[in-house]
Each structure stands twice: as structure tokens, then as C-alpha cells.
């Protein structure tokens, strides 16, 4: 299972890389706006520090505009992947870009057939947003299960990025389902390593060691 980090914060990305837990990065306009810096400079820095794929989202809403932005973003680095929203215009753009050899990640997926359509159009990745479904009392992980089954049924190579992850249980469930990738916010990445019994165990070992070490 690949771990992507869901952030536009370069310091968080570097910390994740130091732990060997960054197989790629996903950004979006909201994450870039949190950085309060020139987004073009932030994007270039992320592309330069990360070896794996970096998803960068288009702003245009028409296919032609999306393709124009996508070509410029793709030219910034061989690891740039273009995030395209799941709309009719988006699917047209995915088709065009895929024929040009530009990798796309279809975002804002909330039902399994949207993922099927994106895969048929030639998307390299699909991003179901599970946390936002949980927020409205739908079982977000249910669509991941369906998408994985549909892709296996037909042998699609499109990879499933479980997105909008809010907690460690989301990562556990994504792994149990065999999802290709989880894109994880930095705070959740750190939570994944913690257990209170681990801390209690370390304290006890150190205390017992001190009792025999003069
Ligand atoms: O990768 C998509 C993700 O950034 C959306 O997360 O928490 O805004 O639903 P969230």
C-alpha cells in the first residue's frame, strides 16, 4: 500500500520523507491557500523535494481551460499528476490528456460509477472522498470497496487513492480493502504511529533498566 501525504506544506512533506512514509503528495486549492505563499513557488518546491507523483489541481471548469492548465503544470516536472474534478468537462479533459500521455487524478468522487467513468476515460488515479461522505452520515468507505471490486472485475489499471482521510481507522479500513493508496494528512500520519500502551511500555522498560543499572 502506498502512502501519499495530503498537504501543501513543504515542512510536513520533508518530515514525512524523513520517516520514509511519502510515496507521493496530493494538493488542492484549499491546501495551497493555507500556506499563504505564492502557490506557483510552493508547487515547484514540492515537485523538487518529492520523488513520487504530486497531484496538482486545475482551476478551470471547461475542458479546454483544464487541458491548457494541465499542460503547463505537467511541464513543471516528470512527477506532476493533474487533478481534474469529476464533471462532464473534466472527463473530456481526462480523455484528451490521457491520449497526450499526461497523468490525471480524478477528484471529488462520491459514488462508484463516477470512478468507473474516470477509469474508462483513461485516468491514472481516482480519488474517492470518504471523510466528506462520513460527514453527511453516509458510509464513505463503502464506495472504496465498490470501486476496488469494479476495477478488479474489469482489470482497470487506474489506482484508487482513498482521500479525505480524517483518522487512523480510515487508513486501517482502506488497507483491509486493498486500496492502492491512502492520502493522509500529516496529523493523521503521526497518529498512525501512536499507542498509549507503547508509551507505557517504554516508561516501564526504562524504569526497570534504571533499577539494575548503577
Ligand atoms: O485529498 C482530498 C482531501 O484533501 C480532502 O480532504 O478533509 O478537505 O475533506 P477534506
Amino acid at each position: 500500500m502506498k502512502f501519499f501525504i495530503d498537504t501543501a506544506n513543504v515542512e510536513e512533506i520533508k518530515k514525512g520523507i524523513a520517516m520514509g512514509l511519502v510515496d507521493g503528495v496530493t494538493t488542492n486549492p484549499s491546501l495551497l491557500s493555507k500556506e499563504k505563499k505564492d502557490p506557483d513557488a510552493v508547487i515547484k518546491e514540492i515537485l523538487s523535494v518529492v520523488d513520487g507523483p504530486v497531484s496538482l489541481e486545475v482551476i478551470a471548469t471547461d475542458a479546454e481551460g483544464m487541458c491548457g492548465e494541465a499542460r503547463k503544470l505537467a511541464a513543471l516536472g516528470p512527477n506532476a499528476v493533474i487533478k481534474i474534478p469529476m464533471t462532464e468537462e473534466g472527463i473530456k479533459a481526462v480523455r484528451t490528456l490521457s491520449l497526450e500521455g499526461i497523468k490525471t487524478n480524478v477528484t471529488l468522487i462520491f459514488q462508484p460509477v463516477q470512478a468507473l467513468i474516470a477509469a474508462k476515460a483513461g485516468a491514472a488515479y481516482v480519488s474517492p472522498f470518504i471523510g466528506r461522505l462520513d460527514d453527511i452520515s453516509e458510509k464513505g468507505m463503502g464506495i472504496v470497496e465498490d470501486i476496488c471490486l469494479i476495477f478488479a472485475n474489469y482489470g482497470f489499471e487506474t489506482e484508487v487513492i482513498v482521500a479525505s482521510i480524517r483518522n487512523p481507522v480510515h487508513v486501517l479500513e482502506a488497507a483491509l480493502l486493498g486500496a492502492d493508496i491512502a492520502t493522509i494528512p500529516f496529523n493523521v500520519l503521526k497518529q498512525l504511529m501512536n499507542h498509549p500502551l507503547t508509551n507505557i511500555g517504554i516508561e516501564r522498560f526504562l524504569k526497570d533498566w534504571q533499577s539494575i543499572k548503577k
Side-chain angles (χ1 to χ4, degrees):
M1 184 186 199
K2 284 176 271 189
F3 278 12
F4 287 3
I5 187 165
D6 195 29
T7 183
N9 183 289
V10 175
E11 290 316 306
E12 289 182 351
I13 292 169
K14 285 181 179 169
K15 285 179 191 167
I17 290 172
M19 293 186 277
L21 295 178
V22 175
D23 299 309
V25 173
T26 50
T27 68
N28 62 37
S30 304
L31 292 170
L32 279 161
S33 78
K34 278 197 207 164
E35 296 310 303
K36 314 242 177 282
K37 292 179 184 165
D38 170 23
D40 295 336
V42 174
I43 286 170
K44 281 182 191 151
E45 193 175 359
I46 295 173
L47 286 167
S48 72
V49 298
V50 177
D51 285 334
V54 176
S55 288
L56 306 165
E57 190 155 341
V58 296
I59 303 301
T61 53
D62 63 297
E64 202 181 312
M66 289 179 191
C67 288
E69 275 181 51
R71 290 180 192 114
K72 283 187 193 147
L73 289 168
L76 296 176
N79 52 343
V81 171
I82 313 306
K83 235 176 171 182
I84 305 275
M86 176 64 220
T87 59
E88 274 187 48
E89 289 297 301
I91 289 303
K92 279 199 291 190
V94 168
R95 174 78 181 146
T96 303
L97 294 168
S98 136
L99 292 172
E100 292 176 18
I102 293 176
K103 284 191 171 177
T104 56
N105 169 3
V106 177
T107 188
L108 291 165
I109 287 194
F110 292 98
Q111 52 100 334
V113 178
Q114 289 180 316
L116 172 59
I117 285 168
K120 284 179 69 65
Y125 305 95
V126 289
S127 291
F129 274 33
I130 51 131
R132 293 191 194 184
L133 282 169
D134 287 357
D135 289 346
I136 58 160
S137 306
E138 285 189 33
K139 202 171 176 308
M141 207 53 75
I143 69 163
V144 174
E145 187 172 8
D146 289 350
I147 294 167
C148 290
L149 178 61
I150 291 167
F151 285 6
N153 282 348
Y154 296 103
F156 282 113
E157 287 178 10
T158 306
E159 291 186 87
V160 179
I161 304 180
V162 180
S164 186
I165 279 180
R166 301 277 161 78
N167 56 56
V169 176
H170 281 155
V171 179
L172 170 65
E173 289 176 343
L176 290 171
L177 288 173
D180 303 287
I181 301 153
T183 190
I184 307 171
F186 187 65
N187 67 315
V188 178
L189 196 65
K190 287 202 298 184
Q191 286 173 345
L192 292 177
M193 286 173 274
N194 291 335
H195 195 287
L197 288 179
T198 306
N199 300 336
I200 290 168
I202 291 168
E203 266 178 44
R204 191 178 299 164
F205 285 150
L206 289 177
K207 198 166 155 246
D208 290 344
W209 180 252
Q210 288 309 325
S211 73
I212 51 166
K213 193 93 171 48
K214 295 288 173 223

